[in-house]
Amino acid sequence: MACARVPLDEQQVTEPGPLGKEHTVPALHPVRKEERCFVPYKSPPEDGSPAEVEEFLEHAKFITEDLEWLLTLPHDKFWCQVVFDESLQRCLDSYLHHAPRGLDPATLPSSPAVADMQRSVHRAVFLTFLRMATHKESKENFITAAVFGEIIYENFLFDIPKILDLCVLFGKGNSQLLNKMIDNIFTQQPSYYSDLDETVPTVLQVFDTILGKCGLHCEGATAMEPMKLDIQRVTLLPHELVDLILYLCDSTTTIHAFLDIFPAACSSFHSHNFLSRLTSFYETAVPDLEKAVRKRNFDDKSLQEDLWKRLSHSCRKMVETAHLLLHHTCLQPILEGGENMLTFAEELLQHFTSFLTEKRFLSDYDEQFPIADDVSLLQQALPTRTSYLLQGVESAWESVGRRKPQSQIQHKAPSASAYQGAEGGASGAICPVSEAELESLLSCIRDLLPDLGEGFLLACLHEYNYNSELVINNILEDRLAPNLDKLDRAMPRPEKEELPNVMDSRSNVFDDDEFDVFRRDKVDMSRIWKGRSAREMLNDKQHVAEQRARYQAYETVVDEVVIEPGESAEAYGLDDYDDEYDDTYDMNQVGANDLDGDSLLNRRPFTVPQVLRKGNKAQDDEEGEDEDEEETLPNNVNRDQFVQDPALLRERAEARRATMQQRKGFRPERPSNVVGKPKGQGQTLETFLDRRKKEASKSRTSNHNRRTMADRKRNKGMIPS
């Protein structure tokens, strides 16, 4: 038996020999391999006969049973079987080659039995590769890291094509597990990085192959304008066009899945100038392929729809691949900051500038990933002129004949179908994902765990915030929440409650009237008033006729009318108003009593001159003296003094200052000193403050109110108008 706490590559075991004599061999040895034949995989039949379906079910059952037996083996036996059993590797390779992809018709099996069997095989293959990529299963069962890397590399248990197929087949719903699995493979065996560098040119050759099949020749950036695809002259047969689009769809989907799951590979693709080659291929091939699919006459219209769907899917994956490369090689380093942030910002600006010539690619990229958001980040990292980028995006939309949407980031509101319930806490909750996304999550989980009911899976998704990877991980490791453990794992999906028809519950004050079209089949159209159209309203000249009589009164102008004696002007319909009447000597005091505070009548009452007064002069003098003593103060106040006595003004100012100084807390104002010391000797703080106060307050007085005073004088008649 294997020794505890010793790596498998160093263990020695005792095995019986051919003659029954025991001998010691390494734990990893061919003699320890079990004799078992693993059959290759065949894809499910598409609308096949019952015999073909029966053959597939039997064949897939053998594979499932063999792989489940393999997974139950102990650690040492499992690795002996994996390393030395060639039939096992042929079985696994056949599944990677022939398993249906996402858009293949085989993904929609013809019968539930075929679907269940396909899910069983899919799950068994994934778990086998997952165990093959794990070098340490426990503290007792493990392999030395360096030896593990050598075993998987030298025995071709994993290579770059296999890893690409694993990503596209199992990436949906298992991205975290696949990321750990691939990262462990590349970490324990760095030689896979060099293999990846050698694989990228082969991937680029895919684009050249497709361009060559279409009659388009692009030999690099310095090549001449490629020949455009002419549908009338290119001899692409229908099946050749189908193969070409299938080839493009499979290639783009695989590349995107690999870079999405293993972002560390983006640097290898970026070093081979993959982004510029991808955008150039997109701009050259996509419009012509779309034209070929649209104008090709297919006998089967469903085939044409399938090709268009695959081509659209390929375009979307190419745009997403370009975004992944930009994000992981430029945008992410900018967000993280660091010493080389400016270098990454300049590289991002260079990429966006190169996109300006690829009008079709630029518009499709901006539709999925608005460039304005990245430009905003770019301006923060690299203050430079970027307005031309946004103008180039607008020009790209116009050149392809499409209108840019007003809001490119759509926030999806939960629809009625998003209200899904399940027992155990999910009832009545609002699902944050759409119905299509929810079905996709359920499908991913049921591919690996087909025995679980959809109701139970809905409850698990609700508990773990609709994270399918976390649900799968917790189910496999038996770490579900206590409320989920109490549920029946075969619980079916709850039935949706159909909402009542709105029209059935409609209530309105006009129900059942003669114009209720919802409850009446016939309505008297003669009772319905129809308004005039715009043309009828413009042709209606009735208002012109109504105004004609008014304007005819102005046609005849009478210069002079002779009035007979004894007759008035009113008899002739004339007004006695004379526009040239001279009112110079009228006694009306127009404007004399205006309440403007300084009128002529209110300011100084009329007084009879003393020389014109009648009576005794002496008596008048005595009465005048008495009146002067009593009325001294009022007369002095109301006297119209042109210039007041300066001494009196100074006395009043001194009294005001004395009153202010007697107040509590009064501080006399310091005399201002804006002259200061001579230049070059420095100024005191007081001088600096006085100068600043003068500068701030110089507009308060002086002659800045000349216009106001001029208006005041003009209003009082002092300035001739």
Side-chain angles (χ1 to χ4, degrees):
M1 294 296 296
C3 299
R5 307 265 181 192
V6 178
L8 181 62
D9 52 282
E10 298 179 4
Q11 293 180 14
Q12 299 287 330
V13 296
T14 302
E15 291 288 338
L19 301 178
K21 184 178 180 180
E22 294 183 353
H23 60 285
T24 302
V25 296
L28 280 177
H29 197 274
V31 299
R32 305 194 65 207
K33 175 180 68 72
E34 299 288 342
E35 294 297 332
R36 199 177 188 96
C37 181
F38 291 84
V39 296
Y41 171 81
K42 293 182 180 179
S43 59
E46 300 178 13
D47 299 332
S49 62
E52 293 177 345
V53 173
E54 185 69 23
E55 181 183 2
F56 169 78
L57 293 176
E58 184 178 4
H59 206 81
K61 184 178 180 181
F62 290 152
I63 297 176
T64 305
E65 292 176 351
D66 290 341
L67 293 180
E68 289 178 352
W69 167 82
L70 177 67
L71 292 172
T72 58
L73 291 178
H75 183 253
D76 55 342
K77 289 287 187 178
F78 172 81
W79 278 102
C80 289
Q81 204 72 29
V82 167
V83 174
F84 303 113
D85 193 344
E86 296 181 359
S87 65
L88 171 61
Q89 296 304 320
R90 287 194 296 267
C91 174
L92 296 176
D93 292 347
S94 64
Y95 185 82
L96 297 180
H97 294 164
H98 302 293
R101 268 60 175 172
L103 295 178
D104 292 344
T107 55
L108 302 174
S110 56
S111 65
V114 174
D116 293 340
M117 186 57 68
Q118 174 62 27
R119 282 194 293 266
S120 300
V121 177
H122 189 81
R123 177 178 181 273
V125 172
F126 176 70
L127 294 179
T128 302
F129 277 110
L130 185 62
R131 190 175 183 184
M132 288 168 55
T134 305
H135 71 285
K136 184 177 182 179
E137 296 182 1
S138 64
K139 295 181 179 180
E140 292 79 15
N141 300 322
F142 64 96
I143 304 176
T144 306
V147 177
F148 170 78
E150 183 179 354
I151 290 175
I152 61 175
Y153 191 77
E154 296 297 334
N155 293 279
F156 297 96
L157 301 184
F158 291 99
D159 52 29
I160 300 301
K162 285 185 180 181
I163 295 175
L164 294 175
D165 289 331
L166 287 172
C167 292
V168 74
L169 285 175
F170 304 102
K172 191 174 183 180
N174 305 289
S175 58
Q176 291 185 354
L177 291 175
L178 273 175
N179 177 265
K180 294 180 180 179
M181 170 178 156
I182 298 175
D183 182 68
N184 186 54
I185 293 173
F186 276 79
T187 302
Q188 307 306 332
Q189 183 51 268
S191 299
Y192 283 110
Y193 281 107
S194 60
D195 292 351
L196 180 60
D197 289 333
E198 296 176 0
T199 306
V200 176
T202 305
V203 177
L204 291 173
Q205 187 64 33
V206 173
F207 299 148
D208 297 336
T209 302
I210 296 175
L211 292 176
K213 291 290 184 180
C214 294
L216 304 170
H217 303 284
C218 183
E219 299 177 357
T222 59
M224 298 177 62
E225 182 69 17
M227 295 186 300
K228 296 300 180 183
L229 178 62
D230 189 350
I231 303 303
Q232 304 298 329
R233 294 187 289 104
V234 173
T235 58
L236 269 180
L237 298 177
H239 71 275
E240 293 178 340
L241 181 61
V242 171
D243 292 341
L244 200 63
I245 294 180
L246 292 178
Y247 183 45
L248 174 63
C249 181
D250 183 65
S251 301
T252 54
T253 304
T254 303
I255 296 171
H256 173 265
F258 175 63
L259 295 179
D260 186 30
I261 292 172
F262 189 57
C266 291
S267 58
S268 298
F269 280 77
H270 185 68
S271 63
H272 288 270
N273 204 18
F274 184 84
L275 184 58
S276 62
R277 293 286 301 274
L278 178 64
T279 57
S280 177
F281 169 80
Y282 191 99
E283 188 73 17
T284 304
V286 168
D288 296 324
L289 287 175
E290 290 180 345
K291 189 185 302 181
V293 175
R294 283 196 304 263
K295 294 187 176 182
R296 176 74 64 180
N297 294 325
F298 292 92
D299 296 334
D300 187 2
K301 290 300 180 182
S302 62
L303 176 60
Q304 187 176 19
E305 295 176 358
D306 181 67
L307 291 179
W308 185 262
K309 179 180 178 181
R310 289 177 180 273
L311 184 57
S312 301
H313 178 79
S314 303
C315 295
R316 185 167 61 255
K317 291 304 177 183
M318 283 189 282
V319 171
E320 292 176 357
T321 300
H323 178 70
L324 282 174
L325 292 173
L326 285 177
H327 178 77
H328 292 292
T329 58
C330 298
L331 291 174
Q332 190 66 30
I334 293 176
L335 292 173
E336 294 175 355
E339 300 178 355
N340 299 326
M341 184 177 66
L342 292 179
T343 303
F344 293 116
E346 293 175 354
E347 186 176 1
L348 179 63
L349 180 62
Q350 182 179 1
H351 282 303
F352 281 153
T353 304
S354 65
F355 290 169
L356 296 179
T357 58
E358 317 292 351
K359 303 292 186 181
R360 173 61 189 277
F361 173 81
L362 185 60
S363 61
D364 290 350
Y365 183 90
D366 185 63
E367 183 178 10
Q368 290 187 242
F369 309 99
I371 293 182
D373 298 342
D374 297 336
V375 169
S376 176
L377 175 63
L378 184 61
Q379 288 177 339
Q380 299 176 15
L382 183 66
T384 184
R385 180 175 174 268
T386 56
S387 59
Y388 72 95
L389 292 177
L390 301 179
Q391 295 173 0
V393 173
E394 298 293 338
S395 175
W397 280 93
E398 295 175 359
S399 63
V400 297
R402 296 161 58 191
R403 179 176 298 179
K404 186 176 181 180
Q406 295 295 330
S407 178
Q408 295 178 341
I409 302 177
Q410 300 290 340
H411 296 283
K412 295 180 291 185
S415 59
S417 60
Y419 289 78
Q420 302 290 341
E423 295 183 13
S427 178
I430 298 179
C431 180
V433 297
S434 64
E435 184 178 5
E437 293 174 337
L438 184 62
E439 295 296 334
S440 177
L441 293 175
L442 289 174
S443 177
C444 293
I445 300 176
R446 286 183 61 83
D447 287 343
L448 293 176
L449 306 168
D451 299 334
L452 302 179
E454 292 188 357
F456 174 75
L457 295 179
L458 282 174
C460 294
L461 287 172
H462 175 76
E463 178 71 22
Y464 296 108
N465 198 20
Y466 295 89
N467 187 338
S468 60
E469 299 174 0
L470 188 58
V471 171
I472 295 173
N473 187 57
N474 289 339
I475 292 176
L476 292 177
E477 297 183 1
D478 198 16
R479 294 191 305 177
L480 289 175
N483 59 326
L484 296 177
D485 276 335
K486 300 176 182 178
L487 298 179
D488 181 12
R489 299 204 171 194
M491 181 174 60
R493 189 172 189 169
E495 296 182 359
K496 298 180 182 178
E497 296 182 2
E498 296 185 0
L499 298 177
N501 190 1
V502 178
M503 299 308 301
D504 295 339
S505 59
R506 171 179 174 268
S507 179
N508 194 280
V509 295
F510 301 106
D511 285 349
D512 298 322
D513 63 2
E514 58 178 327
F515 302 112
D516 189 358
V517 295
F518 296 104
R519 290 178 171 84
R520 292 179 180 270
D521 296 333
K522 295 182 180 180
V523 178
D524 187 5
M525 301 299 294
S526 62
R527 296 288 307 280
I528 300 177
W529 181 83
K530 297 181 179 179
R532 295 184 297 175
S533 64
R535 183 175 298 276
E536 292 176 350
M537 296 178 64
L538 292 175
N539 293 335
D540 185 7
K541 305 301 181 182
Q542 182 180 358
H543 64 285
V544 177
E546 294 174 354
Q547 299 295 331
R548 182 175 287 109
R550 176 182 298 178
Y551 288 98
Q552 285 177 353
Y554 298 97
E555 292 181 356
T556 304
V557 180
V558 180
D559 296 335
E560 183 176 356
V561 178
V562 180
I563 302 176
E564 298 295 334
E567 296 181 354
S568 62
E570 288 81 356
Y572 293 90
L574 302 176
D575 193 2
D576 58 352
Y577 172 74
D578 187 2
D579 186 54
E580 297 183 358
Y581 172 76
D582 186 7
D583 58 355
T584 304
Y585 299 99
D586 285 354
M587 295 305 295
N588 296 329
Q589 298 176 354
V590 179
N593 294 322
D594 291 346
L595 299 177
D596 55 359
D598 196 16
S599 65
L600 296 176
L601 297 180
N602 294 333
R603 183 180 61 185
R604 188 173 186 179
F606 177 76
T607 305
V608 178
Q610 186 175 4
V611 296
L612 299 179
R613 296 178 182 177
K614 296 180 181 180
N616 189 1
K617 181 177 180 181
Q619 183 179 357
D620 292 341
D621 292 341
E622 293 177 0
E623 294 177 356
E625 291 177 359
D626 296 337
E627 292 177 357
D628 291 341
E629 292 177 358
E630 296 176 358
E631 299 180 0
T632 299
L633 183 59
N635 290 339
N636 289 339
V637 174
N638 295 329
R639 179 184 296 179
D640 184 12
Q641 297 178 351
F642 182 76
V643 177
Q644 296 186 9
D645 186 4
L648 181 59
L649 295 178
R650 286 193 295 271
E651 183 179 353
R652 292 177 180 175
E654 185 66 26
R656 286 195 301 269
R657 284 194 293 270
T659 302
M660 293 180 59
Q661 292 176 2
Q662 291 176 1
R663 295 178 181 177
K664 184 178 181 180
F666 172 77
R667 296 179 61 185
E669 184 177 0
R670 180 179 51 82
S672 175
N673 179 20
V674 297
V675 178
K677 299 179 181 179
K679 187 176 182 181
Q681 297 183 9
Q683 305 298 332
T684 62
L685 178 62
E686 290 77 7
T687 302
F688 174 75
L689 295 176
D690 291 341
R691 289 180 179 178
R692 186 170 66 177
K693 181 178 180 181
K694 177 182 178 182
E695 181 68 21
S697 305
K698 67 180 182 180
S699 62
R700 296 174 55 188
T701 56
S702 187
N703 290 329
H704 294 281
N705 57 349
R706 285 175 295 179
R707 184 180 181 89
T708 305
M709 299 303 297
D711 292 341
R712 182 178 180 184
K713 291 180 179 180
R714 185 179 294 107
N715 292 336
K716 296 183 182 304
M718 301 175 64
I719 300 177
S721 57

